[in-house]
Amino acid sequence: MGIIKALKLAFDYLKYDDDGNPTESYRAVNDVDLDIEEGEFIAILGHNGSGKSTLAKHINALLLPTEGTLWVDGTDTKQEPELWKLRKKAGMVFQNPDNQIIASVVEEDVGFGPENMGVPTEKIWKRVDESLKKTGMTAYRTHSPNRLSGGQKQRVAIAGVMAMRPKCIVLDEPTAMLDPVGRREVLDAVTELNRTEKVTVILITHYMEEVIRANRVYVMENGSIVLQGTPREVFSQVEKLKELRLDVPQVTLLGHELRKAGLDIPEGILTSDELKAALKSAMKDEKTGNLVLPDSGKGLAAPGAEDLSVQPGENGGRDDKPAMTLENVNYVYSEGTAFEVKALNDINLEIPNGQFIGIIGHTGSGKSTLIQHLNALIKPTSGVIRYKGEDIWAEKYNRKALRSEVGLAFQYPEYQLFESDVLSDVCFGPMNQGLSREEAEVEAKKALLQVGFKEKRFLRSPFELSGGQKKRAAIAGVLAMNPKILILDEPTAGLDPRGRDDILDQIALLHKERGITVILVSHSMEDIARYAERLIVMNEGKVVYDDTPEKVFTHYSELESMGLSAPQVTYILHDLKDSGLKVDTSAGTVEDARDEILRALTGTGAGDAALTGGGEK
């Protein structure tokens, strides 16, 4: 028997009345069979609500089966009276780190698990040191977790589980709030544990490039496993995964798009090297074996035949006058104490009406602090912020009216959901603006439908929703107030790919039709490249780049040194260019990269392009 085995596993969530009697049930996991061997690296995929997190909580014995059986290291979870023994073997990292951080100092939190397991003191500190180093949090060991950013908290949570040295680690969207380098560091640490210490890893993620590390992949839909296999076997089924609201790595999708355009490229490409080899094979003359360009356009679909995205920045009512200006803005947390941190350092920005702006930066770079200044949630330590020419911190300025026009959806939707049902929660803002309940409901329902929220869930408690559904409800609460500036702090973290695209496409459409200013804070370079027309890069509280995404991403080496990256296709195009194919490397989306490769291969400005050997950058 493997370390994790499930047989006909099923679980029902129950809803109770005021007297504690069950009134209805919902089957979240249905007839699941699993057999995971010790030392495997398993990835579980599925759209929001597919049953992934519910299944994960069974592995950690946080939930017990309604039907069927789950064994952890040979023990039936329903038969083990002391469930803490199972949790020593199967540690879990949750999507929201606030759910599992309990100590007032980082190093004490990381040591909490080993201490409760009875590990000797000297070994506890050794484990704390190793876990903090592997997650890049050594410098914060004496800090309070409450003073850390969301991404930093997640690293602490992961370090705490690592320090317990479980046989199996279950990670439920562990990197959703991390910057690109932080994601890679955490996954590298988990992979190292898997390879060197044979710790079984079960990873739930919506970042498809992380799945390539896995031995096997399970795909869930409606509580059941509908696909399984190696990453190549699963990602070869691009259209099937799209039907399941999922995605594939950008290099896989690029290969798929080139195949659809007429190139003889196999499905399931997982790396840039594989794409290079496939292109070389597609360009090889069958008689001579030499690498040659295809006849100009012969057998290939015309580049640009398909546009898969909503294009932002095309509203005809653009007013380039600044809606908001920041002049020499500084902010210091805990000023004058031992915990003093300068979060913003001499920020000068102009934000025109109607622009779609992306903001990126490493975890702790000052992004969230900056945007909380824009609707007066935080007062600058020094400097001036003006909206429509008025100082928003002037004595008689109406900051309540400002917050109606400058809407902010927080990184964690739990911070702004509080009513008894979703509809009432979304109505709260419009009613505070003076609308009647009936008028507010009209705006609320419209906003909920705009973010893809199903009408049957309007009257559910917001606290019964999945993480992705909470995110949609929180964004709807801001949209319902019809803001002039819409600020979104990591709006797609934790959403499945279809949900991510649905929300961002809708935001882009609102931007285009209404001409509202959109400020998108994201760790997804792909989302920024697809939607933003202007990109602001933050580093250590300063603005270091402020330009178009195409120009900013040409500095990908400098971005990496800041804990960031460029879209995956940027690296692919640079790799192809280094191998001899004359491509423009500024493309930031799969569609643009496909068109650029086809342009080079069909000879339009490609000269004597031919692919040569060479390692991946």
Side-chain angles (χ1 to χ4, degrees):
M1 179 183 292
I3 187 168
I4 305 295
K5 183 176 176 64
L7 186 62
K8 304 297 181 185
L9 178 68
F11 181 79
D12 296 334
Y13 284 107
L14 300 178
K15 194 169 185 177
Y16 297 88
D17 61 22
D18 293 339
D19 297 322
N21 301 310
T23 57
E24 60 179 285
S25 66
Y26 167 70
R27 177 144 291 192
V29 172
N30 185 35
D31 201 29
V32 166
D33 292 334
L34 284 176
D35 195 353
I36 300 172
E37 296 296 328
E38 188 166 356
E40 279 196 287
F41 193 133
I42 301 297
I44 301 179
L45 306 179
H47 62 75
N48 294 122
S50 63
K52 309 182 304 298
S53 294
T54 302
L55 176 60
K57 290 174 183 174
H58 278 78
I59 296 171
N60 190 243
L62 291 174
L63 296 175
L64 299 178
T66 302
E67 297 174 11
T69 310
L70 182 84
W71 292 270
V72 176
D73 200 23
T75 302
D76 182 346
T77 58
K78 286 192 293 188
Q79 303 301 319
E80 175 55 70
E82 299 179 272
L83 295 178
W84 66 272
K85 292 181 180 179
L86 295 174
R87 293 172 190 149
K88 285 171 59 177
K89 297 178 180 180
M92 185 164 183
V93 178
F94 295 98
Q95 187 174 7
N96 186 341
D98 288 328
N99 294 339
Q100 64 189 108
I101 291 179
I102 48 89
S104 58
V105 179
V106 165
E107 63 181 9
E108 292 178 3
D109 195 273
V110 176
F112 181 80
E115 183 179 21
N116 277 275
M117 292 165 57
V119 177
T121 301
E122 64 276 8
K123 290 188 177 180
I124 291 176
W125 289 115
K126 183 179 179 182
R127 291 189 186 187
V128 169
D129 292 343
E130 291 175 352
S131 298
L132 288 173
K133 183 178 180 181
K134 287 177 178 177
T135 53
M137 290 300 293
T138 300
Y140 299 89
R141 65 181 303 149
T142 60
H143 287 226
S144 166
N146 293 330
R147 299 181 182 276
L148 300 180
S149 68
Q152 290 168 333
K153 288 180 184 179
Q154 188 65 287
R155 295 194 208 185
V156 172
I158 293 170
V161 172
M162 285 182 174
M164 295 170 64
R165 303 284 173 83
K167 287 188 174 183
C168 174
I169 295 180
V170 183
L171 303 110
D172 188 3
E173 294 282 349
T175 60
M177 297 298 178
L178 298 185
D179 56 56
V181 170
R183 287 203 299 267
R184 187 167 67 241
E185 287 175 351
V186 167
L187 265 293
D188 285 348
V190 171
T191 302
E192 185 69 13
L193 280 175
N194 172 252
R195 290 177 179 170
T196 61
E197 301 184 30
K198 305 303 180 186
V199 174
T200 305
V201 173
I202 300 174
L203 173 67
I204 297 171
T205 184
H206 290 311
Y207 285 110
M208 299 300 149
E209 66 272 16
E210 295 178 354
V211 178
I212 294 172
R213 300 170 181 248
N215 306 119
R216 280 192 294 157
V217 181
Y218 293 94
V219 180
M220 295 191 69
E221 164 80 356
N222 295 328
S224 299
I225 293 172
V226 293
L227 280 178
Q228 60 178 294
T230 65
R232 193 181 309 281
E233 289 169 344
V234 170
F235 286 145
S236 293
Q237 303 179 62
V238 176
E239 300 304 327
K240 175 65 175 176
L241 290 170
K242 286 182 179 179
E243 291 174 11
L244 295 171
R245 299 183 53 156
L246 297 176
D247 211 341
V248 295
Q250 280 205 322
V251 67
T252 308
L253 184 58
L254 180 55
H256 177 72
E257 290 293 316
L258 290 169
R259 179 183 175 86
K260 283 167 58 179
L263 288 176
D264 186 15
I265 291 179
E267 295 282 18
I269 287 174
L270 300 179
T271 68
S272 183
D273 276 344
E274 290 181 6
L275 181 61
K276 264 195 308 185
L279 285 171
K280 286 169 66 175
S281 177
M283 293 162 58
K284 187 175 292 185
D285 186 281
E286 294 182 3
K287 294 182 179 178
T288 65
N290 295 327
L291 294 177
V292 296
L293 283 170
D295 292 340
S296 182
K298 185 178 179 180
L300 299 179
E306 183 181 14
D307 183 2
L308 303 180
S309 68
V310 175
Q311 295 298 322
E314 297 177 358
N315 70 80
R318 165 67 60 80
D319 177 4
D320 288 325
K321 294 179 181 178
M324 182 169 281
T325 59
L326 289 79
E327 303 166 10
N328 307 113
V329 171
N330 294 274
Y331 185 75
V332 180
Y333 284 106
S334 306
E335 188 175 20
T337 73
F339 298 102
E340 180 174 304
V341 175
K342 191 162 191 178
L344 297 181
N345 189 353
D346 197 31
I347 302 295
N348 291 277
L349 288 172
E350 287 192 354
I351 300 173
N353 287 304
Q355 223 175 32
F356 198 124
I357 302 170
I359 300 180
I360 63 174
H362 62 81
T363 300
S365 64
K367 306 183 303 298
S368 294
T369 301
L370 173 64
I371 61 174
Q372 288 179 66
H373 277 74
L374 301 184
N375 72 342
L377 290 179
I378 297 178
K379 183 178 181 178
T381 304
S382 63
V384 179
I385 301 172
R386 303 183 193 278
Y387 180 61
K388 296 181 179 178
E390 295 185 62
D391 181 351
I392 68 173
W393 286 102
E395 185 177 348
K396 295 184 178 180
Y397 188 83
N398 187 346
R399 283 181 283 277
K400 180 180 178 182
L402 169 74
R403 293 173 187 132
S404 291
E405 295 201 13
V406 183
L408 170 60
F410 290 104
Q411 189 173 20
Y412 293 113
E414 294 89 336
Y415 293 170
Q416 63 192 99
L417 298 174
F418 59 92
E419 279 281 10
S420 58
D421 62 79
V422 171
L423 184 62
S424 296
D425 203 286
V426 179
C427 283
F428 181 83
M431 289 176 68
N432 267 339
Q433 291 177 311
L435 273 63
S436 68
R437 173 72 189 202
E438 293 74 18
E439 292 170 328
E441 282 194 8
V442 172
E443 297 299 323
K445 289 177 180 178
K446 182 168 65 176
L448 284 164
L449 292 172
Q450 284 175 334
V451 298
F453 206 91
K454 294 183 179 178
E455 196 165 351
K456 65 181 181 181
R457 296 195 178 105
F458 283 6
L459 298 181
R460 288 183 63 179
S461 165
F463 306 106
E464 295 177 358
L465 304 176
S466 70
Q469 291 164 349
K470 287 178 182 177
K471 186 82 71 174
R472 291 170 187 263
I475 294 172
V478 177
L479 283 177
M481 295 189 290
N482 293 302
K484 300 292 189 298
I485 298 178
L486 176 61
I487 306 169
L488 302 159
D489 192 1
E490 294 286 351
T492 61
L495 292 183
D496 58 61
R498 178 80 62 82
R500 172 201 69 204
D501 291 346
D502 286 349
I503 283 184
L504 290 179
D505 280 352
Q506 187 61 50
I507 296 301
L509 190 60
L510 288 170
H511 164 252
K512 179 179 178 180
E513 292 180 344
R514 293 190 193 174
I516 63 173
T517 303
V518 176
I519 300 175
L520 171 66
V521 178
S522 180
H523 283 315
S524 171
M525 304 301 114
E526 289 75 21
D527 289 347
I528 291 292
R530 191 178 188 92
Y531 293 95
E533 57 190 286
R534 174 185 174 191
L535 177 54
I536 296 169
V537 181
M538 299 281 296
N539 186 43
E540 297 180 352
K542 297 180 180 179
V543 173
V544 291
Y545 292 110
D546 184 355
D547 212 323
T548 64
E550 293 82 7
K551 290 182 179 178
V552 171
F553 286 137
T554 63
H555 302 282
Y556 62 93
S557 296
E558 291 85 350
L559 292 174
E560 286 179 349
S561 71
M562 301 174 198
L564 300 170
S565 67
Q568 190 183 22
V569 293
T570 300
Y571 297 97
I572 295 168
L573 289 172
H574 276 278
D575 201 17
L576 291 174
K577 185 175 182 178
D578 291 345
S579 298
L581 190 64
K582 294 185 178 180
V583 289
D584 180 351
T585 57
S586 66
T589 68
V590 168
E591 295 78 30
D592 289 344
R594 170 203 62 195
D595 293 349
E596 181 55 29
I597 291 170
L598 292 175
R599 182 203 61 77
L601 291 179
T602 54
T604 309
D608 57 353
L611 286 170
T612 61
E616 187 175 355
K617 281 179 72 68

